[in-house]
Amino acid sequence: MKISKSANQRIATFEAALSLTENRSHEDLLFAGVDLGTAYIVTAVVDHQGNPLAGVLTRSQYSIRDGLVLDYLGAVNILRQQVDVLREAGFSIRSAAAAYPPGTIGRNAKVFGNVLAAVGMDVKGLIDEPTAASMVLEITDGAVVDIGGGTTGISVIKDGKVIYTADEPTGGIHVDLVLAGHFKIPVHEAELMKIDPERQSEILLLITPVFQKMSTIVKRHIKDYSVDNIYLVGGTSCFPGIDTVIESETGLSVERPDNPMLVTPLGIALSCITN
Ligand SMILES: Nc1ncnc2c1ncn2[C@@H]1O[C@H](COP(=O)(O)OP(=O)(O)OP(=O)(O)O)[C@@H](O)[C@H]1O
Ligand SMILES: [Mg+2]
């Protein structure tokens, strides 16, 4: 199934809303979704109909790694700053949901909610990341592949339910390490090179082995399931050409939304409404 126009439209609206230049909202019913990731902490704000209104994206400085909150206070501080920025822009958030990486259980999952509670939010719910993503993509079947900063997460979805999930440590940072090694530059410079649209076609060949490794991980995890479509989300999925590599390595049809990095945070916010 292709990603619908309305799904991409909602993602585009959220992307535009990150500028916080929209008219101040007079909505009482605002919901937030907080994505605590390895590379970024993203808060998305929607109204009670699921229209994206605002959002903030901050580098998480490795407060979170491989799905665990390592630096609790660091994460709380970033989120508090985000809440302040949103309040100043006219969006006072009280209700929010958080998401945990697939496979996170028990207390490790609860910590994601605790970070929200620590900044005074009423925790509407906790949701796993692929389910959040599937809500934005408007899909009920297929494999959601979330390639973030630290890991590649694979979730097989059937009839709207996650039936299999795995997360392996290969992500954007591994792309940076290859570039840093090749060009003999620091990792933070490699990161800038990677996201520079002017350089991306030139470096694609160099980092294709990393994308192939990700494809191998995906292939291995979905082999026992009947999957027709792979849906790419997460920041690393933004890289032009990664979809083609994964398509040719897995032999499956790969769908990519307009801005894969914003899908999960938006989905977490949407989950507040249906909860
Ligand atoms: N245009 C781009 N091209 C390639 N990579 C990008 C682009 N924009 C962002 N990224 C990469 O996406 C990663 C961050 O993605 P995302 O926000 O989904 O990760 P995360 O949720 O913080 O991490 P994780 O899910 O592993 O905990 C970073 O490695 C960043 O370099
Ligand atoms: Mg993530």
Side-chain angles (χ1 to χ4, degrees):
M1 206 172 87
K2 291 244 176 282
I3 296 166
S4 73
K5 261 205 182 113
S6 63
N8 272 323
Q9 195 83 56
R10 192 176 346 224
I11 297 163
T13 306
F14 177 44
E15 187 167 356
L18 288 173
S19 64
L20 298 178
T21 50
E22 271 296 298
N23 285 341
R24 279 165 187 255
S25 162
H26 300 290
E27 284 270 356
D28 295 328
L29 275 175
L30 297 182
F31 297 107
V34 180
D35 186 351
L36 298 162
T38 308
Y40 290 98
I41 293 182
V42 187
T43 296
V45 182
V46 300
D47 67 13
H48 67 282
Q49 291 174 315
N51 300 308
L53 298 177
V56 195
L57 188 147
T58 315
R59 284 211 75 96
S60 66
Q61 285 140 354
Y62 297 97
S63 302
I64 289 112
R65 185 172 292 167
D66 296 347
L68 291 176
V69 179
L70 287 187
D71 171 15
Y72 180 79
L73 287 181
V76 168
N77 278 335
I78 290 175
L79 189 57
R80 189 169 287 131
Q81 284 163 18
Q82 292 190 334
V83 169
D84 288 347
V85 167
L86 287 166
R87 191 183 305 117
E88 270 163 35
F91 304 95
S92 292
I93 316 300
R94 256 167 254 114
S95 273
Y100 51 87
T104 314
I105 48 166
R107 284 175 60 190
N108 283 336
K110 260 190 80 183
V111 174
F112 285 80
N114 294 348
V115 174
L116 271 55
V119 302
M121 289 183 183
D122 165 29
V123 184
K124 281 281 278 183
L126 291 176
I127 183 172
D128 67 278
E129 292 175 350
T131 303
S134 71
M135 291 171 75
V136 174
L137 300 173
E138 301 170 11
I139 55 149
T140 54
D141 294 274
V144 173
V145 173
D146 180 349
I147 315 178
T151 63
T152 294
I154 306 99
S155 304
V156 180
I157 303 199
K158 195 174 175 350
D159 300 328
K161 295 247 165 358
V162 177
I163 57 165
Y164 175 79
T165 194
D167 210 28
E168 291 206 19
T170 304
I173 183 70
H174 302 87
V175 177
D176 295 347
L177 290 172
V178 167
L179 292 172
H182 180 84
F183 291 105
K184 303 194 172 32
I185 53 174
V187 173
H188 68 269
E189 274 177 37
E191 166 76 16
L192 293 176
M193 179 189 285
K194 179 181 72 177
I195 60 178
D196 178 357
E198 306 271 297
R199 305 295 301 272
Q200 288 175 329
S201 61
E202 164 203 342
I203 60 179
L204 174 62
L205 214 57
L206 196 62
I207 60 181
T208 290
V210 186
F211 296 158
Q212 284 168 332
K213 165 88 191 288
M214 291 160 178
S215 310
T216 309
I217 292 172
V218 173
K219 222 160 108 178
R220 176 156 42 81
H221 284 288
I222 63 175
K223 71 176 184 337
D224 294 333
Y225 298 88
S226 74
V227 168
D228 295 326
N229 291 284
I230 289 173
Y231 297 94
L232 287 184
V233 300
T236 299
S237 298
C238 294
F239 197 93
I242 189 174
D243 49 342
T244 316
V245 176
I246 296 178
E247 204 154 54
S248 72
E249 295 290 316
T250 61
L252 294 172
S253 115
V254 174
E255 300 293 327
R256 175 166 65 166
D258 286 352
N259 189 336
M261 184 147 121
L262 299 179
V263 171
T264 303
L266 185 53
I268 303 169
L270 293 184
S271 76
C272 290
I273 300 169
T274 43
N275 263 337

